[in-house]
Amino acid sequence: MTNCEINVARERLKEFHEGRDGVPDIMRNRNQGDLRDYSGKIVNMLDYEILKSYLYNTYYSVFILEEAPEKYFYGGKVISHELLDHEDAGLHEDVKKAGMKVKFTEKSHSDPNKNNYFVMDYID
């Protein structure tokens, strides 16, 4: 077997196990980004996925931005609910085709013991 054949075999095994282990395509070959780096900036969301957490029995979102193609970002509860609304309205394909200009803003909870969260505003 040649080195090329071995490399192809390894890549196929890696892809199989990543898919089997539940690593979504949108996260493959990307590193996790920090949404704080884009807080207050207008960015273009290119795609998103709504995923189910079997551990917590809830849904969450993962998305990618044109400004950081090598990264993926987690949406918290507020952003995930917004993207679920897009999904329910059948707009996911539109986001994938045209992108969606958005602005993320960090907000603080009224309860000081809770972490800050992000909201997403659609920019026309």
Side-chain angles (χ1 to χ4, degrees):
M1 211 187 271
T2 68
N3 281 343
C4 183
E5 290 172 321
I6 291 170
N7 289 339
V8 168
R10 284 183 179 148
E11 189 61 32
R12 290 185 58 193
L13 284 165
K14 177 183 171 190
E15 286 176 11
F16 173 80
H17 285 285
E18 283 179 346
R20 194 171 125 203
D21 292 340
V23 177
D25 287 339
I26 200 166
M27 295 169 69
R28 284 200 193 145
N29 301 316
R30 291 186 170 98
N31 297 314
Q32 183 178 346
D34 187 346
L35 205 48
R36 284 182 180 89
D37 296 338
Y38 299 92
S39 183
K41 299 176 183 174
I42 296 173
V43 294
N44 191 24
M45 184 182 291
L46 297 177
D47 195 6
Y48 67 87
E49 284 191 37
I50 305 297
L51 305 169
K52 183 171 183 174
S53 168
Y54 293 101
L55 182 62
Y56 299 108
N57 198 29
T58 58
Y59 291 93
Y60 64 98
S61 61
V62 176
F63 55 89
I64 55 173
L65 303 176
E66 181 177 27
E67 292 74 11
E70 74 287 353
K71 296 180 182 180
Y72 65 87
F73 300 86
Y74 286 110
K77 286 182 184 178
V78 175
I79 292 172
S80 294
H81 283 288
E82 292 254 350
L83 293 175
L84 275 167
D85 287 346
H86 281 79
E87 192 79 9
D88 290 344
L91 297 172
H92 187 194
E93 286 302 314
D94 294 326
V95 172
K96 288 173 69 171
K97 287 178 187 173
M100 181 170 64
K101 297 282 185 198
V102 294
K103 181 178 167 186
F104 298 105
T105 306
E106 189 171 10
K107 302 282 185 173
S108 57
H109 278 279
S110 56
D111 181 348
N113 295 321
K114 293 192 175 185
N115 293 332
N116 289 354
Y117 63 98
F118 284 90
V119 297
M120 177 180 78
D121 294 309
Y122 173 75
I123 307 296
D124 189 16

